[in-house]
Amino acid sequence: MREIDVNVITENVAKLCIDSNIYLNDDIKKALEKSLAQEKESLPKNILDVFIKNSDIAKEELKPICQDTGMAIIYVDVGMDIHFKGGSLTEAINKGVALGYKEGYLRKSVVNDPLERKNTNDNTPAIIHYNIVEGDKVKIVAAPKGFGSENMGKIAMLPPSAGIDGIKKFVYDTIKLAGANACPPMIVGIGIGGNMEKCVDIAKRALLREVGSKNSDERLQNLEEELLEGINKMNIGPSGFGGNTTALCVHINMYATHITSLPVCVCTGCHATRHREIIL
């Protein structure tokens, strides 16, 4: 049995929160650069160029990529052969989020109650997802999510008869409604199946996949490519000013579901969809 002091978790969560808000992931930057080369009109080209330069400035000056530094989403894969000592794992994670947002001078956007709306002043509580796995390692992924894109996500509990055409229509309708509000070019995460909460979970996890990677399921790979092409024909474009780049990619996760339903979730990520991970 391997022991890990929860203070180690706190320190690493704090660093992940800071780094994910400052450093744009390489795969996303490469996708933006590729899109810049493919755009024809000057306005969308200029906007993409500004996004790329903004990420460079954030890296050089150690400042957040975006003023909305998000609500902290933390994914934790815990090995069955690990024992945490020194306190509560959940408390250690929240302590790390609070520390990271304080030391990183990140905007604190969490309110204690959806109705009372008093700021908690440290960006906690985080949203934490635990998964128990084999082994003696712990993997932590910090994925702070701004609510420009978060507010544009939608879920539909479609009837099975809606089929693939119903899925496509729901995706296109959701992206059209999102428009500029999701801070395009977007990363589009889609969940198909499960129940209501599982569908949302797998859609959001799809945002963590490397941009440009291929789905291991050929059916889903073809659907991703078709949806990406359709979305980029909408002429929403970077920041909603038109162009060929409304989305950088479409990623789909699928799960088993009930005989009476076809759950579909669309989770939009902005052009700076942030996530960092560490394995301890």
Side-chain angles (χ1 to χ4, degrees), residues 152 154 171-182 234 236:
M152 295 298 104
K154 289 191 176 297
V171 172
Y172 290 139
D173 288 348
T174 300
I175 298 301
K176 183 178 180 180
L177 183 63
N181 294 320
M234 290 183 177
I236 296 171

Side-chain angles (χ1 to χ4, degrees), residues 35 39 43 60 72 77 90 98 110 118 124 129 141-142 161-162 167 169 188 214-215 230 233 235 238 245 271 279-280:
S35 297
E39 281 289 354
L43 182 54
E60 291 166 5
D77 289 347
T90 296
V110 175
K118 181 180 178 182
T124 67
H129 299 274
V141 179
S161 59
I167 292 172
K169 183 180 185 303
V188 182
K214 301 292 185 181
N215 199 306
K233 287 181 178 178
N235 196 37
T245 316
H271 65 268
I279 298 176
L280 301 171

Side-chain angles (χ1 to χ4, degrees), residues 1 4 12 25 35 55 77 83 110 133-134 145-146 159 190 232 253 265 271:
M1 181 69 68
I4 296 180
N12 280 280
N25 291 44
S35 297
S55 70
D77 289 347
H83 169 68
V110 175
V133 298
E134 293 182 354
K145 187 128 179 355
I190 298 173
N232 283 335
N253 282 331
C265 177
H271 65 268

Side-chain angles (χ1 to χ4, degrees), residues 116-133:
E116 185 181 78
R117 308 198 73 82
K118 181 180 178 182
N119 200 297
T120 63
N121 294 318
D122 62 5
N123 225 56
T124 67
I127 296 172
I128 307 171
H129 299 274
Y130 291 110
N131 185 34
I132 306 301
V133 298

Side-chain angles (χ1 to χ4, degrees), residues 85-246:
K85 64 177 183 179
S88 161
L89 178 58
T90 296
E91 289 179 6
I93 291 171
N94 276 310
K95 185 178 178 181
V97 170
L99 182 64
Y101 274 76
K102 178 182 178 181
E103 292 189 345
Y105 298 99
L106 307 177
R107 195 182 83 182
K108 301 160 189 70
S109 305
V110 175
V111 295
N112 67 326
D113 181 302
L115 300 179
E116 185 181 78
R117 308 198 73 82
K118 181 180 178 182
N119 200 297
T120 63
N121 294 318
D122 62 5
N123 225 56
T124 67
I127 296 172
I128 307 171
H129 299 274
Y130 291 110
N131 185 34
I132 306 301
V133 298
E134 293 182 354
D136 63 353
K137 305 289 184 184
V138 57
K139 177 181 176 181
I140 305 172
V141 179
K145 187 128 179 355
F147 270 55
S149 61
E150 182 73 357
N151 285 338
M152 295 298 104
K154 289 191 176 297
I155 184 168
M157 304 301 287
L158 301 177
S161 59
I164 191 69
D165 289 336
I167 292 172
K168 292 176 187 177
K169 183 180 185 303
F170 177 67
V171 172
Y172 290 139
D173 288 348
T174 300
I175 298 301
K176 183 178 180 180
L177 183 63
N181 294 320
C183 304
M186 311 169 204
I187 292 176
V188 182
I190 298 173
I192 302 173
N195 60 356
M196 185 176 284
E197 76 267 19
K198 184 65 176 181
C199 193
V200 174
D201 179 56
I202 61 176
K204 185 156 290 186
R205 288 177 186 269
L207 298 178
L208 304 177
R209 210 176 92 201
E210 182 179 352
V211 175
S213 62
K214 301 292 185 181
N215 199 306
S216 58
D217 185 321
E218 187 175 354
R219 297 172 307 155
L220 299 184
Q221 179 183 324
N222 293 334
L223 182 56
E224 288 175 349
E225 292 172 355
E226 180 183 347
L227 289 171
L228 179 61
E229 182 179 356
I231 289 169
N232 283 335
K233 287 181 178 178
M234 290 183 177
N235 196 37
I236 296 171
S239 291
F241 287 104
N244 302 322
T245 316
T246 297

Side-chain angles (χ1 to χ4, degrees), residues 9 13 24 47 72 79 111 191 196 210 249 272:
I9 302 298
V13 167
L24 184 67
I47 293 170
V111 295
M196 185 176 284
E210 182 179 352
C249 60

